[in-house]
PDB file of all heavy atoms in Angstrom:
ATOM      1  N   ASP S  91     -18.631  14.316  -7.461  1.00 89.00           N
ATOM      2  CA  ASP S  91     -17.199  14.417  -7.500  1.00 89.00           C
ATOM      3  C   ASP S  91     -16.513  13.101  -8.008  1.00 89.00           C
ATOM      4  O   ASP S  91     -15.197  13.179  -8.157  1.00 89.00           O
ATOM      5  CB  ASP S  91     -16.656  14.707  -6.125  1.00 89.00           C
ATOM      6  CG  ASP S  91     -17.245  16.156  -5.695  1.00 89.00           C
ATOM      7  OD1 ASP S  91     -17.286  17.010  -6.515  1.00 89.00           O
ATOM      8  OD2 ASP S  91     -17.564  16.241  -4.439  1.00 89.00           O
ATOM      9  N   ASP S  92     -17.284  12.038  -8.319  1.00 90.00           N
ATOM     10  CA  ASP S  92     -16.552  10.847  -8.634  1.00 90.00           C
ATOM     11  C   ASP S  92     -16.551  10.740 -10.118  1.00 90.00           C
ATOM     12  O   ASP S  92     -17.330  10.108 -10.887  1.00 90.00           O
ATOM     13  CB  ASP S  92     -17.517   9.713  -8.167  1.00 90.00           C
ATOM     14  CG  ASP S  92     -16.872   8.352  -8.295  1.00 90.00           C
ATOM     15  OD1 ASP S  92     -15.803   8.251  -8.955  1.00 90.00           O
ATOM     16  OD2 ASP S  92     -17.440   7.308  -7.953  1.00 90.00           O
ATOM     17  N   LEU S  93     -15.491  11.408 -10.671  1.00 91.00           N
ATOM     18  CA  LEU S  93     -15.245  11.428 -12.115  1.00 91.00           C
ATOM     19  C   LEU S  93     -15.031   9.957 -12.674  1.00 91.00           C
ATOM     20  O   LEU S  93     -15.564   9.594 -13.787  1.00 91.00           O
ATOM     21  CB  LEU S  93     -14.076  12.289 -12.538  1.00 91.00           C
ATOM     22  CG  LEU S  93     -13.633  12.310 -13.987  1.00 91.00           C
ATOM     23  CD1 LEU S  93     -14.850  12.784 -14.717  1.00 91.00           C
ATOM     24  CD2 LEU S  93     -12.476  13.135 -14.166  1.00 91.00           C
ATOM     25  N   THR S  94     -14.321   9.088 -11.975  1.00 90.00           N
ATOM     26  CA  THR S  94     -14.107   7.707 -12.448  1.00 90.00           C
ATOM     27  C   THR S  94     -15.423   6.971 -12.600  1.00 90.00           C
ATOM     28  O   THR S  94     -15.650   6.354 -13.589  1.00 90.00           O
ATOM     29  CB  THR S  94     -13.165   6.954 -11.460  1.00 90.00           C
ATOM     30  OG1 THR S  94     -12.025   7.823 -11.325  1.00 90.00           O
ATOM     31  CG2 THR S  94     -12.827   5.690 -12.058  1.00 90.00           C
ATOM     32  N   GLY S  95     -16.230   7.093 -11.561  1.00 90.00           N
ATOM     33  CA  GLY S  95     -17.549   6.337 -11.573  1.00 90.00           C
ATOM     34  C   GLY S  95     -18.577   6.854 -12.570  1.00 90.00           C
ATOM     35  O   GLY S  95     -19.152   6.124 -13.287  1.00 90.00           O
ATOM     36  N   LEU S  96     -18.572   8.286 -12.737  1.00 92.00           N
ATOM     37  CA  LEU S  96     -19.449   8.858 -13.769  1.00 92.00           C
ATOM     38  C   LEU S  96     -18.935   8.478 -15.210  1.00 92.00           C
ATOM     39  O   LEU S  96     -19.815   8.199 -16.064  1.00 92.00           O
ATOM     40  CB  LEU S  96     -19.358  10.343 -13.629  1.00 92.00           C
ATOM     41  CG  LEU S  96     -20.215  10.891 -12.500  1.00 92.00           C
ATOM     42  CD1 LEU S  96     -19.858  12.394 -12.101  1.00 92.00           C
ATOM     43  CD2 LEU S  96     -21.668  10.575 -12.594  1.00 92.00           C
ATOM     44  N   ALA S  97     -17.652   8.541 -15.443  1.00 92.00           N
ATOM     45  CA  ALA S  97     -17.086   8.156 -16.742  1.00 92.00           C
ATOM     46  C   ALA S  97     -17.462   6.725 -17.103  1.00 92.00           C
ATOM     47  O   ALA S  97     -17.844   6.368 -18.158  1.00 92.00           O
ATOM     48  CB  ALA S  97     -15.687   8.333 -16.847  1.00 92.00           C
ATOM     49  N   ALA S  98     -17.289   5.838 -16.135  1.00 91.00           N
ATOM     50  CA  ALA S  98     -17.578   4.413 -16.275  1.00 91.00           C
ATOM     51  C   ALA S  98     -19.057   4.237 -16.552  1.00 91.00           C
ATOM     52  O   ALA S  98     -19.527   3.377 -17.476  1.00 91.00           O
ATOM     53  CB  ALA S  98     -17.116   3.581 -15.114  1.00 91.00           C
ATOM     54  N   TYR S  99     -19.924   4.931 -15.767  1.00 92.00           N
ATOM     55  CA  TYR S  99     -21.354   4.750 -15.991  1.00 92.00           C
ATOM     56  C   TYR S  99     -21.743   5.239 -17.382  1.00 92.00           C
ATOM     57  O   TYR S  99     -22.582   4.648 -17.897  1.00 92.00           O
ATOM     58  CB  TYR S  99     -22.051   5.578 -14.916  1.00 92.00           C
ATOM     59  CG  TYR S  99     -23.557   5.481 -14.991  1.00 92.00           C
ATOM     60  CD1 TYR S  99     -24.243   4.485 -14.469  1.00 92.00           C
ATOM     61  CD2 TYR S  99     -24.326   6.500 -15.591  1.00 92.00           C
ATOM     62  CE1 TYR S  99     -25.602   4.257 -14.469  1.00 92.00           C
ATOM     63  CE2 TYR S  99     -25.699   6.331 -15.625  1.00 92.00           C
ATOM     64  CZ  TYR S  99     -26.407   5.333 -15.150  1.00 92.00           C
ATOM     65  OH  TYR S  99     -27.757   5.174 -15.214  1.00 92.00           O
ATOM     66  N   GLU S 100     -21.140   6.383 -17.839  1.00 92.00           N
ATOM     67  CA  GLU S 100     -21.536   7.008 -19.091  1.00 92.00           C
ATOM     68  C   GLU S 100     -20.979   5.942 -20.283  1.00 92.00           C
ATOM     69  O   GLU S 100     -21.608   5.849 -21.233  1.00 92.00           O
ATOM     70  CB  GLU S 100     -20.853   8.282 -19.245  1.00 92.00           C
ATOM     71  CG  GLU S 100     -21.394   9.007 -20.474  1.00 92.00           C
ATOM     72  CD  GLU S 100     -20.797  10.487 -20.570  1.00 92.00           C
ATOM     73  OE1 GLU S 100     -19.633  10.655 -20.909  1.00 92.00           O
ATOM     74  OE2 GLU S 100     -21.486  11.390 -20.229  1.00 92.00           O
ATOM     75  N   GLN S 101     -19.905   5.364 -20.080  1.00 92.00           N
ATOM     76  CA  GLN S 101     -19.271   4.669 -21.252  1.00 92.00           C
ATOM     77  C   GLN S 101     -19.632   3.170 -21.304  1.00 92.00           C
ATOM     78  O   GLN S 101     -19.534   2.681 -22.417  1.00 92.00           O
ATOM     79  CB  GLN S 101     -17.721   4.814 -21.101  1.00 92.00           C
ATOM     80  CG  GLN S 101     -17.316   6.199 -21.235  1.00 92.00           C
ATOM     81  CD  GLN S 101     -15.775   6.319 -20.891  1.00 92.00           C
ATOM     82  OE1 GLN S 101     -15.167   5.422 -20.450  1.00 92.00           O
ATOM     83  NE2 GLN S 101     -15.333   7.525 -21.120  1.00 92.00           N
ATOM     84  N   GLU S 102     -19.998   2.608 -20.246  1.00 92.00           N
ATOM     85  CA  GLU S 102     -20.395   1.148 -20.269  1.00 92.00           C
ATOM     86  C   GLU S 102     -21.844   0.822 -19.986  1.00 92.00           C
ATOM     87  O   GLU S 102     -22.362   0.999 -18.860  1.00 92.00           O
ATOM     88  CB  GLU S 102     -19.449   0.452 -19.113  1.00 92.00           C
ATOM     89  CG  GLU S 102     -18.075   0.446 -19.455  1.00 92.00           C
ATOM     90  CD  GLU S 102     -17.624  -0.504 -20.508  1.00 92.00           C
ATOM     91  OE1 GLU S 102     -18.363  -1.500 -20.728  1.00 92.00           O
ATOM     92  OE2 GLU S 102     -16.679  -0.238 -21.125  1.00 92.00           O
ATOM     93  N   PRO S 103     -22.460   0.384 -20.994  1.00 93.00           N
ATOM     94  CA  PRO S 103     -23.924  -0.042 -20.803  1.00 93.00           C
ATOM     95  C   PRO S 103     -24.093  -1.232 -19.782  1.00 93.00           C
ATOM     96  O   PRO S 103     -25.038  -1.174 -19.083  1.00 93.00           O
ATOM     97  CB  PRO S 103     -24.265  -0.569 -22.166  1.00 93.00           C
ATOM     98  CG  PRO S 103     -23.321  -0.066 -23.096  1.00 93.00           C
ATOM     99  CD  PRO S 103     -21.956   0.084 -22.355  1.00 93.00           C
ATOM    100  N   GLY S 104     -23.052  -2.096 -19.526  1.00 92.00           N
ATOM    101  CA  GLY S 104     -23.205  -3.038 -18.505  1.00 92.00           C
ATOM    102  C   GLY S 104     -23.172  -2.485 -17.049  1.00 92.00           C
ATOM    103  O   GLY S 104     -23.954  -2.955 -16.254  1.00 92.00           O
ATOM    104  N   ILE S 105     -22.525  -1.446 -16.942  1.00 91.00           N
ATOM    105  CA  ILE S 105     -22.556  -0.818 -15.581  1.00 91.00           C
ATOM    106  C   ILE S 105     -23.832  -0.105 -15.275  1.00 91.00           C
ATOM    107  O   ILE S 105     -24.404  -0.276 -14.315  1.00 91.00           O
ATOM    108  CB  ILE S 105     -21.293   0.265 -15.538  1.00 91.00           C
ATOM    109  CG1 ILE S 105     -19.946  -0.468 -15.461  1.00 91.00           C
ATOM    110  CG2 ILE S 105     -21.500   1.157 -14.269  1.00 91.00           C
ATOM    111  CD1 ILE S 105     -18.783   0.358 -15.443  1.00 91.00           C
ATOM    112  N   ARG S 106     -24.449   0.440 -16.347  1.00 91.00           N
ATOM    113  CA  ARG S 106     -25.720   1.064 -16.176  1.00 91.00           C
ATOM    114  C   ARG S 106     -26.830   0.019 -15.859  1.00 91.00           C
ATOM    115  O   ARG S 106     -27.671   0.075 -15.014  1.00 91.00           O
ATOM    116  CB  ARG S 106     -26.102   1.824 -17.354  1.00 91.00           C
ATOM    117  CG  ARG S 106     -25.170   2.986 -17.597  1.00 91.00           C
ATOM    118  CD  ARG S 106     -25.866   3.983 -18.728  1.00 91.00           C
ATOM    119  NE  ARG S 106     -25.803   3.462 -20.013  1.00 91.00           N
ATOM    120  CZ  ARG S 106     -24.806   3.571 -20.845  1.00 91.00           C
ATOM    121  NH1 ARG S 106     -23.675   4.093 -20.357  1.00 91.00           N
ATOM    122  NH2 ARG S 106     -24.914   2.989 -22.047  1.00 91.00           N
ATOM    123  N   GLU S 107     -26.632  -1.156 -16.514  1.00 92.00           N
ATOM    124  CA  GLU S 107     -27.616  -2.308 -16.274  1.00 92.00           C
ATOM    125  C   GLU S 107     -27.372  -2.765 -14.868  1.00 92.00           C
ATOM    126  O   GLU S 107     -28.377  -3.086 -14.229  1.00 92.00           O
ATOM    127  CB  GLU S 107     -27.403  -3.485 -17.259  1.00 92.00           C
ATOM    128  CG  GLU S 107     -28.415  -4.555 -17.178  1.00 92.00           C
ATOM    129  CD  GLU S 107     -28.142  -5.677 -18.050  1.00 92.00           C
ATOM    130  OE1 GLU S 107     -27.198  -5.674 -18.967  1.00 92.00           O
ATOM    131  OE2 GLU S 107     -28.983  -6.669 -17.971  1.00 92.00           O
ATOM    132  N   ALA S 108     -26.194  -2.951 -14.386  1.00 89.00           N
ATOM    133  CA  ALA S 108     -25.945  -3.465 -13.031  1.00 89.00           C
ATOM    134  C   ALA S 108     -26.630  -2.511 -12.091  1.00 89.00           C
ATOM    135  O   ALA S 108     -27.229  -3.074 -11.047  1.00 89.00           O
ATOM    136  CB  ALA S 108     -24.453  -3.533 -12.817  1.00 89.00           C
ATOM    137  N   VAL S 109     -26.450  -1.169 -12.219  1.00 87.00           N
ATOM    138  CA  VAL S 109     -27.090  -0.331 -11.277  1.00 87.00           C
ATOM    139  C   VAL S 109     -28.576  -0.405 -11.297  1.00 87.00           C
ATOM    140  O   VAL S 109     -29.348  -0.354 -10.305  1.00 87.00           O
ATOM    141  CB  VAL S 109     -26.742   1.182 -11.666  1.00 87.00           C
ATOM    142  CG1 VAL S 109     -27.469   2.126 -10.848  1.00 87.00           C
ATOM    143  CG2 VAL S 109     -25.224   1.323 -11.347  1.00 87.00           C
ATOM    144  N   ARG S 110     -29.177  -0.575 -12.545  1.00 89.00           N
ATOM    145  CA  ARG S 110     -30.690  -0.735 -12.688  1.00 89.00           C
ATOM    146  C   ARG S 110     -31.122  -2.036 -11.990  1.00 89.00           C
ATOM    147  O   ARG S 110     -32.191  -2.097 -11.310  1.00 89.00           O
ATOM    148  CB  ARG S 110     -31.074  -0.719 -14.043  1.00 89.00           C
ATOM    149  CG  ARG S 110     -31.096   0.624 -14.728  1.00 89.00           C
ATOM    150  CD  ARG S 110     -31.828   0.493 -16.103  1.00 89.00           C
ATOM    151  NE  ARG S 110     -31.428  -0.496 -17.021  1.00 89.00           N
ATOM    152  CZ  ARG S 110     -30.314  -0.312 -17.965  1.00 89.00           C
ATOM    153  NH1 ARG S 110     -29.748   0.730 -17.991  1.00 89.00           N
ATOM    154  NH2 ARG S 110     -30.139  -1.376 -18.595  1.00 89.00           N
ATOM    155  N   LEU S 111     -30.357  -3.120 -12.120  1.00 88.00           N
ATOM    156  CA  LEU S 111     -30.783  -4.489 -11.534  1.00 88.00           C
ATOM    157  C   LEU S 111     -30.817  -4.433  -9.971  1.00 88.00           C
ATOM    158  O   LEU S 111     -31.613  -5.062  -9.422  1.00 88.00           O
ATOM    159  CB  LEU S 111     -29.826  -5.452 -11.999  1.00 88.00           C
ATOM    160  CG  LEU S 111     -29.884  -5.896 -13.485  1.00 88.00           C
ATOM    161  CD1 LEU S 111     -28.830  -6.834 -13.995  1.00 88.00           C
ATOM    162  CD2 LEU S 111     -31.330  -6.449 -13.796  1.00 88.00           C
TER     163      LEU S 111
END
Side-chain angles (χ1 to χ4, degrees):
D91 299 322
D92 187 358
L93 178 60
T94 305
L96 288 168
Y99 182 83
E100 187 176 81
Q101 294 167 358
E102 288 292 332
I105 292 174
R106 292 191 295 274
E107 182 182 2
V109 171
R110 283 192 311 271
L111 289 172

